């Protein structure tokens, strides 16, 4: 798993459940968001990322997808890293 994902871990609540805080993302179109989410999840799990990192990458892949019309965003490593940064910042609030 990429070292860029380190430090972007979800937090556990008092019951031990893992929480994945999400920033408010303007939604233009949800087409393709589920596909991008599953692609991020499978990619992280296939690279031994573990379930928490897989959830984080999945959310990061889905985020840019909903921000524009149509289901084909530019899911470059930079776009995904930018979304991971936004997710990490929302975790610290």
């Amino acid at each position: 798993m990429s070292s860029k994902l380190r430090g972007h871990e979800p937090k556990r609540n008092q019951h031990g459940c893992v929480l994945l805080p999400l920033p408010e993302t303007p939604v233009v179109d949800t087409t393709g968001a589920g596909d991008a989410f599953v692609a991020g999840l499978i990619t992280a799990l296939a690279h031994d990322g573990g379930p928490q990192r897989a959830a984080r990458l999945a959310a990061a892949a889905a985020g840019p997808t909903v921000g524009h019309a149509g289901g084909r965003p530019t899911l470059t490593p930079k776009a995904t890293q930018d979304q991971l940064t936004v997710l990490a910042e929302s975790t610290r609030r």
Side-chain angles (χ1 to χ4, degrees), residues 9-35:
E9 297 300 324
K11 296 183 179 185
R12 291 188 181 274
N13 68 9
Q14 68 272 20
H15 305 291
C17 296
V18 175
L19 302 176
L20 183 64
L22 300 174
E24 290 188 31
T25 302
V27 177
V28 175
D29 185 354
T30 61
T31 303
D35 294 336

Side-chain angles (χ1 to χ4, degrees), residues 7-88:
H8 297 281
E9 297 300 324
K11 296 183 179 185
R12 291 188 181 274
N13 68 9
Q14 68 272 20
H15 305 291
C17 296
V18 175
L19 302 176
L20 183 64
L22 300 174
E24 290 188 31
T25 302
V27 177
V28 175
D29 185 354
T30 61
T31 303
D35 294 336
F37 184 91
V38 171
L41 188 69
I42 291 170
T43 299
L45 291 174
H47 289 93
D48 298 322
Q52 290 185 16
R53 288 178 192 241
R56 179 66 68 190
L57 182 59
T65 305
V66 300
H68 69 88
R72 305 197 93 203
T74 303
L75 287 178
T76 63
K78 182 184 179 331
T80 304
Q81 183 59 44
D82 289 347
Q83 188 66 21
L84 283 167
T85 300
V86 169
L87 290 168

